[in-house]
């Protein structure tokens, strides 16, 4: 299942992802599993000042997340399931999951970024219950606009911050790889790259963007040692 979100003012941490962009979640779990374990927030907040959850100042939990749910969402992954360079940020969202960020990537190390392009597109992993649960390319609207306006390989190369470019039959494409784990929550095929394309003749000549996961590799199932974290299974009363 895929979930598309559009935070018009971006989101935390401040100064990193605080620009309008698309969050594109490709889930490894069902919508029912997502909602059952940590359901969407109720209207009324249950967060109180005397809670003693372990929280990050850059990513305070939403008011509706209980300490039990926070513990479930941020449960550590087996080492072989944790992608190289990524770490738990305690950036949790109800009915979504926890976010694993690459703190050694240009997003968080401006000295490694192309000047003026700290965040144009990036890759995030999601987890809950000690397992990977989603893949998330995040892409800014200014970048998508520039992608749609590129009319040659040179123009496309000029907007690329990382990855490979191609310009074939008028279709502008940037492909970028990302670190993959050594094992997954289940044995199977997992992506190691994603592709962003704009076809001006697509969608009945109005133009069409395509974001796709590619270059799948076969991974074994990770070995889970000890007890698997229990889904809180808390449902809000209407």
């Amino acid at each position: 299942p895929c979930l598309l979100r559009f935070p018009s003012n971006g989101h935390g941490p401040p100064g990193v992802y605080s620009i309008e962009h698309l969050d594109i979640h490709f889930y490894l779990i069902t919508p029912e599993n997502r909602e059952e374990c940590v359901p969407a927030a109720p209207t009324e907040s249950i967060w109180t000042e005397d809670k003693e959850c372990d929280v990050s100042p850059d990513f305070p939990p939403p008011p509706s997340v209980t300490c039990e749910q926070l513990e479930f969402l941020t449960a550590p992954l087996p080492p072989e399931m944790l992608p190289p360079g990524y770490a738990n940020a305690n950036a949790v969202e109800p009915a979504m999951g926890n976010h694993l960020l690459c703190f050694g990537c240009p997003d968080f190390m401006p000295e490694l970024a192309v000047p003026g392009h700290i965040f144009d597109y990036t890759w995030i992993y999601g987890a809950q219950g000690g397992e990977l649960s989603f893949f998330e390319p995040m892409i800014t609207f200014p970048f998508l606009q520039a992608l749609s306006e590129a009319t040659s390989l040179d123009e496309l190369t000029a907007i690329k911050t990382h990855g490979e470019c191609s310009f074939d039959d008028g279709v502008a494409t940037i492909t970028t790889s990302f670190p993959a784990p050594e094992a997954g929550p289940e044995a199977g095929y997992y992506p190691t790259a994603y592709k962003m394309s704009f076809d001006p003749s697509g969608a009945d000549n109005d133009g069409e963007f395509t974001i796709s996961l590619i270059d799948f590799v076969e991974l074994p199932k990770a070995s889970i040692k000890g007890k698997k974290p229990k889904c809180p299974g808390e449902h809000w009363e209407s």
Side-chain angles (χ1 to χ4, degrees):
C2 182
L3 175 67
L4 186 67
R5 192 176 75 149
F6 166 42
S8 57
N9 296 313
H11 51 65
V16 180
Y17 299 134
S18 49
I19 179 174
E20 61 177 356
H21 64 270
L22 285 177
D23 292 341
I24 308 169
H25 299 78
F26 294 92
Y27 275 95
L28 300 173
I29 58 177
T30 65
E32 291 77 18
N33 183 262
R34 221 170 9 93
E35 285 282 352
E36 179 187 7
C37 291
V38 184
T43 304
E44 208 171 304
S45 170
I46 62 166
W47 186 263
T48 59
E49 292 297 327
D50 60 354
K51 284 197 175 181
E52 297 181 355
C53 300
D54 182 17
V55 299
S56 162
D58 289 329
F59 295 100
S64 59
V65 173
T66 67
C67 291
E68 183 187 16
Q69 292 170 335
L70 180 65
E71 183 178 0
F72 172 78
L73 290 173
T74 60
L77 277 64
E80 67 268 32
M81 202 191 297
L82 184 65
Y86 283 78
N88 172 30
N90 282 344
V92 304
E93 288 288 341
M96 183 181 296
N98 184 31
H99 295 74
L100 310 177
L101 305 181
C102 180
F103 291 103
C105 292
D107 304 3
F108 293 91
M109 301 184 72
E111 65 272 18
L112 300 178
V114 175
H117 296 272
I118 293 177
F119 164 48
D120 284 333
Y121 47 93
T122 195
W123 179 264
I124 287 175
Y125 281 98
Q128 69 172 42
E131 294 183 339
L132 290 176
S133 58
F134 66 83
F135 308 122
E136 182 186 356
M138 297 200 313
I139 309 169
T140 69
F141 274 79
F143 170 79
L144 290 173
Q145 182 70 34
L147 183 67
S148 70
E149 294 172 351
T151 58
S152 68
L153 184 60
D154 286 342
E155 290 183 9
L156 191 59
T157 303
I159 68 169
K160 177 200 75 170
T161 55
H162 55 281
E164 302 295 329
C165 301
S166 66
F167 195 85
D168 300 315
D169 297 326
V171 178
T173 300
I174 292 180
T175 301
T176 181
S177 60
F178 48 84
E182 297 176 3
E186 297 292 340
Y189 289 86
Y190 293 82
T192 62
Y194 62 103
K195 184 167 64 174
M196 304 166 285
S197 300
F198 179 77
D199 181 358
S201 65
D204 298 326
N205 293 316
D206 286 333
E208 182 177 49
F209 290 100
T210 301
I211 313 299
S212 52
L213 308 184
I214 61 172
D215 296 346
F216 283 69
V217 297
E218 189 173 9
L219 298 179
K221 180 176 180 177
S223 57
I224 309 293
K225 296 180 179 178
K227 240 182 176 181
K228 187 176 178 180
K230 185 182 177 184
C231 166
E234 184 170 340
H235 292 273
W236 304 115
E237 295 181 3
S238 57

